[in-house]
């Protein structure tokens, strides 16, 4: 029994040393996780957050030329948290999903749910709130973010986890 322990100890030591070296390599080369492939969070932070809006009361509304609703309130708060101004783009979900896929938007709102059909064009946040549908079933609310822009997605999800249930 002691002999088996001696054989596995060098293997464990090599594994630990390998993990430590990988971590040191990452730290010294400036790796950061999560990472945005196109730098969306860096571009929006201190700049402009480009938000697509599909009108869907009470989540998103359009009154007197102003975007309103609970999700616009959340997005405005998120934009403030990263020092960004918001530029709104109003459109149908299908159009906004295509614009997101093309890299023209940073966030899409409009009462999107976790069963959204647009997952081939945008990443969906984790559900930030559950509401009740007219038929009494629970519906999980999400927002859209660019595919591959993980730092932006994580940043938005963090904000929503702290503020979304109030929205």
């Amino acid at each position: 029994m002691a002999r088996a322990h001696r054989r596995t100890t060098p293997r464990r030591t090599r594994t630990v040393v390998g993990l430590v070296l990988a971590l040191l390599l990452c730290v010294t080369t400036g790796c950061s996780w999560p990472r945005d492939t196109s730098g969306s969070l860096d571009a929006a932070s201190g700049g402009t957050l480009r938000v697509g809006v599909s009108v869907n009361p009470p989540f998103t509304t359009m009154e007197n030329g102003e975007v309103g609703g609970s999700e616009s309130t959340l997005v405005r708060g998120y934009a403030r948290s990263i020092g960004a101004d918001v530029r709104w783009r109003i459109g149908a979900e299908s159009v906004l999903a295509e614009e997101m896929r093309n890299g023209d938007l940073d966030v899409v709102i409009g009462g999107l749910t976790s069963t959204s059909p647009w997952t081939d064009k945008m990443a969906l946040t984790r559900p930030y709130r559950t509401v009740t549908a007219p038929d009494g079933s629970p519906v999980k609310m999400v927002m859209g973010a660019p595919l591959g822009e993980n730092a932006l997605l994580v940043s938005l999800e963090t904000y929503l986890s702290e503020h979304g249930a109030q929205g």
Side-chain angles (χ1 to χ4, degrees):
M1 181 101 32
R3 189 174 249 178
H5 178 5
R6 282 189 208 135
R7 278 190 227 154
T8 60
T9 301
R11 185 179 306 151
R12 285 184 188 152
T13 301
R14 283 192 303 266
T15 301
V16 169
V17 168
L19 289 172
V20 168
L21 288 174
L23 180 61
L24 285 173
L25 177 64
C26 186
V27 169
T28 59
T29 60
C31 290
S32 62
W33 286 299
R35 180 174 293 240
D36 281 347
T37 57
S38 298
S40 295
L41 181 58
D42 286 340
S45 296
T48 301
L49 184 69
R50 304 165 303 162
V51 181
V53 181
S54 176
V55 176
N56 185 0
F59 309 105
T60 51
T61 60
M62 190 69 167
E63 296 177 26
N64 302 320
E66 291 292 318
V67 176
S70 59
E71 289 187 350
S72 72
T73 301
L74 284 169
V75 166
R76 282 184 178 98
Y78 173 65
R80 275 191 306 277
S81 78
I82 62 169
D85 294 321
V86 178
R87 183 173 70 220
W88 304 105
R89 165 73 173 96
I90 311 302
E93 279 185 24
S94 59
V95 172
L96 298 174
E98 192 64 34
E99 289 179 1
M100 177 72 81
R101 187 181 70 117
N102 293 336
D104 299 326
L105 296 171
D106 301 311
V107 177
V108 170
I109 61 174
L112 298 175
T113 67
S114 60
T115 60
S116 171
W118 309 116
T119 56
D120 62 329
K121 298 183 186 321
M122 70 176 98
L124 300 178
T125 63
R126 290 183 300 226
Y128 68 88
R129 182 178 182 202
T130 301
V131 298
T132 304
D135 68 1
S137 64
V139 177
K140 296 179 181 190
M141 306 307 299
V142 300
M143 293 184 185
L147 292 169
E149 299 301 286
N150 298 323
L152 178 86
L153 182 64
V154 169
S155 174
L156 178 59
E157 285 181 335
T158 300
Y159 183 86
L160 291 173
S161 72
E162 296 169 359
H163 301 87
Q166 304 158 12

